[in-house]
């Protein structure tokens, strides 16, 4: 599944080339090229696939900007630990300005981290914070691996799960939230992207086997704010349409259904759990 991260890098590289780019990711093109998706990628098979690619690409651009802002706000509030879950080709350690003392943990399996390391060496990229990679499968004891790598659960952390939860079954999502909560001191923050209600039916059906959309299994709960409150987080939910308009990149087509709670979530930890699920 990690190869989809190279496709995300291609989207970020294309956005970086725009004059009105919502962010700039200088390493994205190198990741896409190393993965064989630059300067071009195979064209979609049909019109439905083309529309699906455009919709997914647009959501990647908006969510990237959204989470960039969340991370800046967390840093401004004094948070100096960052954990990227399923980090993929994320280059925030290299492209964002971090306050002194920031430690950024990239958690992913060995394959994407090794691929990424080879590109970073070739590009002679230098991180702007202390960057620590943690090679572990999120289905295994990643909290233990993270702790062994130096993460301190006694001080606040900002957690990012970008483009991840849609690939996890509901019980795995719940376990992930429990594990995050168990390592989150009060004042910790979290940024999540969730599959909006109905997205699998709209974009995930009749797709090619092995494609990213064919692996989507999880959509957000009916009440994401209430769901996260049950996990000890005070959350705010945003729709893609709302954030796109705020960033000067409005969606021109009218909504095909009533606007539901959105799939871009920012949250603050108000309590610390004493238990540490495995």
């Amino acid at each position: 599944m990690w190869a989809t991260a190279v496709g995300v890098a291609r989207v970020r590289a294309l956005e970086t080339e725009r004059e009105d780019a919502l962010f700039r990711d200088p390493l994205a093109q190198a990741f896409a090229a190393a993965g064989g998706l630059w300067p071009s990628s195979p064209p979609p098979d049909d019109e439905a696939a083309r529309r699906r690619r455009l919709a997914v690409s647009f959501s990647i651009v908006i969510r990237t900007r959204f989470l960039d802002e969340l991370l800046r706000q967390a840093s401004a509030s004094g948070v100096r630990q960052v954990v990227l879950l399923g980090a993929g080709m994320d280059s925030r350690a290299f492209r964002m300005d971090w306050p002194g003392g920031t430690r950024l943990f990239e958690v992913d399996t060995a394959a994407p981290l090794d691929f990424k390391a080879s590109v970073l060496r070739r590009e002679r990229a230098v991180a702007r914070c202390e960057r620590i990679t943690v090679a572990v499968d999120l289905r295994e004891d990643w909290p233990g691996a993270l702790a062994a790598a130096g993460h301190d659960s006694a001080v606040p952390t900002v957690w990012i799960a970008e483009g991840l939860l849609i690939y996890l079954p509901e019980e795995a999502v719940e376990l992930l939230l429990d594990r995050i909560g168990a390592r989150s001191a009060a004042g910790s923050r979290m940024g999540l992207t969730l599959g909006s209600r109905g997205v699998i039916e709209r974009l995930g059906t009749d797709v090619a086997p092995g494609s990213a959309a064919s692996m989507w299994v999880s959509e957000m709960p009916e009440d994401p704010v209430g769901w996260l409150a049950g996990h000890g987080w005070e959350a705010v939910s945003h729709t893609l349409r709302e954030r796109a308009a705020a960033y000067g990149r409005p969606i021109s087509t009218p909504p095909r259904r009533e606007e539901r709670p959105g799939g871009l979530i920012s949250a603050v930890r108000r309590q610390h759990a004493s238990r540490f699920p495995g």
Side-chain angles (χ1 to χ4, degrees):
M1 187 184 79
W2 73 266
T4 60
V6 177
V8 173
R10 180 177 183 273
V11 172
R12 290 176 174 153
L14 290 170
E15 177 66 17
T16 298
E17 291 191 329
R18 292 179 59 131
E19 287 187 11
D20 63 344
L22 297 185
F23 56 86
R24 300 207 180 272
D25 187 342
L27 289 169
Q29 184 175 316
F31 291 136
L37 295 183
W38 193 269
S40 61
S41 63
D45 297 330
D46 53 36
E47 179 62 19
R50 188 188 71 83
R51 289 198 304 269
R52 182 164 55 242
R53 175 184 283 189
L54 287 173
V56 171
S57 296
F58 186 80
S59 70
I60 289 169
V61 169
I62 301 303
R63 83 188 191 199
T64 300
R65 169 65 178 268
F66 172 77
L67 294 172
D68 282 359
E69 291 189 345
L70 185 151
L71 286 164
R72 290 189 187 100
Q73 291 163 2
S75 291
S77 75
V79 180
R80 297 292 180 265
Q81 282 191 136
V82 181
V83 177
L84 308 178
L85 295 169
M89 300 304 110
D90 191 298
S91 70
R92 289 183 172 98
F94 302 87
R95 67 176 177 82
M96 294 182 67
D97 293 323
W98 298 100
T102 298
R103 310 179 80 208
L104 185 148
F105 298 85
E106 295 188 9
V107 181
D108 212 326
T109 54
L113 289 177
D114 290 346
F115 171 88
K116 187 175 188 176
S118 68
V119 175
L120 293 173
R121 284 193 300 270
R122 194 158 55 244
E123 295 297 312
R124 298 181 180 178
V126 178
R128 298 182 178 184
C129 60
E130 183 182 358
R131 174 178 176 260
I132 302 164
T133 58
V134 184
V136 64
D137 193 307
L138 288 173
R139 293 169 295 187
E140 298 172 358
D141 180 22
W142 65 263
L146 185 63
H151 178 262
D152 184 356
S153 63
V155 299
T157 301
V158 55
W159 305 85
I160 301 294
E162 178 177 4
L164 172 65
L165 302 190
I166 197 168
Y167 295 100
L168 303 179
E170 183 177 340
E171 61 273 15
V173 172
E174 293 294 325
L175 177 58
L176 188 77
L177 262 290
D178 283 343
R179 286 172 156 181
I180 290 172
R183 297 200 62 82
S184 295
S188 291
R189 300 192 178 211
M190 181 167 61
L192 304 177
T193 64
L194 301 167
S196 57
R197 304 293 295 182
V199 71
I200 295 176
E201 180 182 354
R202 291 199 315 276
L203 300 179
T205 55
D206 300 322
V207 295
S211 66
S214 71
M215 295 182 280
W216 293 350
V217 296
S218 177
E219 297 179 356
M220 68 181 180
E222 289 283 351
D223 177 13
V225 171
W227 169 62
L228 286 168
H231 284 275
W233 296 87
E234 183 177 308
V236 179
S237 171
H238 307 266
T239 66
L240 191 73
R241 183 178 295 270
E242 168 204 335
R243 288 293 88 201
Y247 301 151
R249 197 74 64 82
I251 299 173
S252 57
T253 56
R256 289 185 290 173
R257 58 187 57 76
E258 181 185 354
E259 286 287 313
R260 308 286 290 276
L264 300 174
I265 309 292
S266 59
V268 177
R269 186 72 171 172
R270 296 305 188 196
Q271 62 193 53
H272 179 60
S274 58
R275 63 194 179 91
F276 284 73

